Amino acid sequence: MEEYTKLLEHSRRGVVLNRRMILKRDKIPNRCEDTSTTGFAGVSSFTGYDPWNVYSCAQPDESSIYSIVNMLHSQGDEALEIIWVNLREEPSIYINGTSYVLRKADDPFQNLFNDEQIITKSKVENMEKRLKKDVMNECRVVENGCNIVVQREETVHNIRKQILHVNTSSLLTTREMFYIVGTRGFDTNYHRIPIIETNPPSIEALSEIADILVNNSNSKSIVFTDMSGHNKSTYCSAVAMVIRKWKLLLRQFHEKHSAANRILSPVLDLAAETFTTSEADSNVLCVNEEGNGSDVNVSPVTPSSQNSFLYHLEDLPEVDLSSDPDASAFASEVGGKSLPAESDNINVFYNSLLLNGNFAVVTNLTNLFPYGRNAKTLVDSVIQQQAPVYSILKHLVLVRQNIILASNKTEKTAWEELAVKLLRKYYLLIAVTLWLHERQDEEYMPFRQWLEVTPTVYDLYNSINCGHIDQ
């Protein structure tokens, strides 16, 4: 068996899949598929966020993809396409319906691009195409008989080799897999937006996600996938919930005031009559007046709506995230270690501030806009809703305390780097909400472009460092 395995490995001479690389089963140990909790075999960490039609999960096997899209179509309008956003930054391919990821042979447990800041869609998808060709070439070696060597992580950091017989017709890149899903009658709009694991999304990636959400109905289901279903996909789900909640609140606001104006403001009819064609051709981020008005799309609005009807989130109640009983569980204890007794009271008080997102750099951001605090309240309400699954602010407090308890400089530096990434993620959630609010009556502008013309917001973001964690 070992000799045969070495023979197969010796024939590995690909451009991407060479002898220094391996194909690893795309599954994290100890996150077994449990149909009693996830609802699907072949995919872990499947989570839905009601009523926003937002979902997150780990990279699914082929059968799980069909299970998920079947469920989403059965719960909604079958005429609506499903938006599927793949956040993976690593090249992976499907073999016999199962996903395999490319890793370094001498570092099989680390993401391939873990040390990079940004990875482009074209780079990762071109690598997937080349990876498919390399596997196909291995299968064409007569002695191999379509057998290749793959690796599977049975338990954490315990990996073993396996011989896999490849059905070459099943060999697909991720994009090809979803293309086939579409040809089989499942209307799925597939996007590849790579984000480096643990990092905040790049401004370009976040802007692309925001554009997808703004320009598609809330009724459309959107699924985010990453390696584990617990990191990038959870964060992007929060982004989706923020945008969809804003759209719903904005629609409700306009419906309320439109009904009132039909009764109380007949003068608006005169204003509408004087609205010129050139003005009507302008595009703004506003409520779509066609159909049920459930979407915020690029649509013309009248000057009266531009001047009179701006929504400022004033009806949102304040959110106290420190009142969560689970939040105090780690207020003075982390990983079995306790802070010094004399620091407990101060630390609990300080943590309650941070659990509510009261960081100085966040306050500086919200103070830039008259309704900045209201934008933060909307974000905090989404964090509160998502808390049973994950809370970015709880995570920040946990990491801050690990910084305090770090036993050496290397450990402390690692925790500080993670804290900065988390704070930047939280900052970006609020920045997206401010973009939605500030541009609601203006010509449509992508988030990345808004940051360019609002340099103070972008400069504050770039200034975030470990010093901001305790400010």
Side-chain angles (χ1 to χ4, degrees), residues 310-322:
L310 296 182
Y311 177 51
H312 301 307
L313 297 161
E314 294 158 310
D315 53 341
L316 284 180
E318 286 289 330
V319 176
D320 182 8
L321 296 174
S322 66

Side-chain angles (χ1 to χ4, degrees), residues 220-468:
K220 290 184 180 180
S221 296
I222 184 165
V223 182
F224 295 98
T225 57
D226 63 14
M227 179 178 64
S228 66
H230 281 292
N231 193 345
K232 299 174 290 188
S233 59
T234 303
Y235 178 74
C236 290
S237 294
V239 174
M241 292 162 69
V242 164
I243 293 176
R244 288 191 162 181
K245 186 168 186 176
W246 160 262
K247 290 167 65 175
L248 176 65
L249 293 170
L250 182 63
R251 175 180 64 82
Q252 292 173 342
F253 173 83
H254 277 267
E255 286 178 347
K256 176 182 176 181
H257 285 272
S258 294
N261 287 325
R262 280 196 294 270
I263 299 172
L264 302 175
S265 304
V267 71
L268 289 179
D269 294 333
L270 179 61
E273 290 176 7
T274 61
F275 186 40
T276 65
T277 303
S278 60
E279 290 169 325
D281 289 339
S282 65
N283 288 333
V284 299
L285 192 64
C286 71
V287 169
N288 184 350
E289 295 179 354
E290 296 181 2
N292 60 9
S294 63
D295 197 11
V296 177
N297 285 322
V298 178
S299 309
V301 297
T302 63
S304 58
S305 66
Q306 290 180 353
N307 296 329
S308 304
F309 301 115
L310 296 182
Y311 177 51
H312 301 307
L313 297 161
E314 294 158 310
D315 53 341
L316 284 180
E318 286 289 330
V319 176
D320 182 8
L321 296 174
S322 66
S323 62
D324 185 340
D326 292 334
S328 60
F330 56 83
S332 59
E333 184 173 339
V334 181
K337 300 178 183 178
S338 296
L339 292 168
E342 63 272 14
S343 70
D344 280 357
N345 290 337
I346 295 174
N347 193 62
V348 170
F349 172 75
Y350 197 69
N351 281 348
S352 70
L353 293 176
L354 300 187
L355 284 167
N356 281 306
N358 293 315
F359 298 89
V361 68
V362 171
T363 301
N364 290 340
L365 170 64
T366 57
N367 285 345
L368 292 174
F369 302 91
Y371 300 97
R373 291 293 300 178
N374 297 2
K376 179 181 177 299
T377 297
L378 187 146
V379 170
D380 289 347
S381 70
V382 166
I383 291 174
Q384 185 178 54
Q385 182 180 353
Q386 201 180 35
V389 177
Y390 172 77
S391 168
I392 193 170
L393 291 174
K394 285 184 185 179
H395 196 179
L396 252 172
V397 170
L398 176 65
V399 170
R400 173 184 169 269
Q401 293 195 179
N402 280 329
I403 293 171
I404 297 171
L405 298 170
S407 58
N408 56 66
K409 186 176 180 180
T410 301
E411 182 184 348
K412 182 178 181 180
T413 299
W415 286 119
E416 287 175 341
E417 290 175 354
L418 179 56
V420 169
K421 291 176 181 179
L422 291 171
L423 183 53
R424 286 186 171 182
K425 287 181 179 181
Y426 180 58
Y427 182 102
L428 285 175
L429 285 172
I430 300 171
V432 165
T433 310
L434 289 167
W435 161 68
L436 292 168
H437 176 270
E438 296 301 306
R439 298 299 303 180
Q440 65 179 289
D441 65 332
E442 302 288 345
E443 184 176 344
Y444 182 75
M445 178 183 291
F447 177 67
R448 66 179 183 279
Q449 189 177 344
W450 178 74
L451 285 182
E452 292 172 1
V453 300
T454 319
T456 309
V457 175
Y458 197 33
D459 291 344
L460 269 176
Y461 173 73
N462 287 326
S463 74
I464 296 175
N465 57 58
C466 61
H468 288 108

Side-chain angles (χ1 to χ4, degrees), residues 35-81:
T35 54
S36 66
T37 57
T38 68
F40 300 103
V43 59
S44 59
S45 309
F46 186 86
T47 306
Y49 301 97
D50 294 329
W52 309 114
N53 296 317
V54 175
Y55 304 87
S56 64
C57 66
Q59 184 90 4
D61 290 343
E62 179 182 13
S63 61
S64 304
I65 296 173
Y66 287 102
S67 297
I68 291 169
V69 296
N70 262 309
M71 181 201 73
L72 297 182
H73 275 303
S74 69
Q75 291 184 344
D77 185 349
E78 290 190 10
L80 292 175
E81 65 183 1

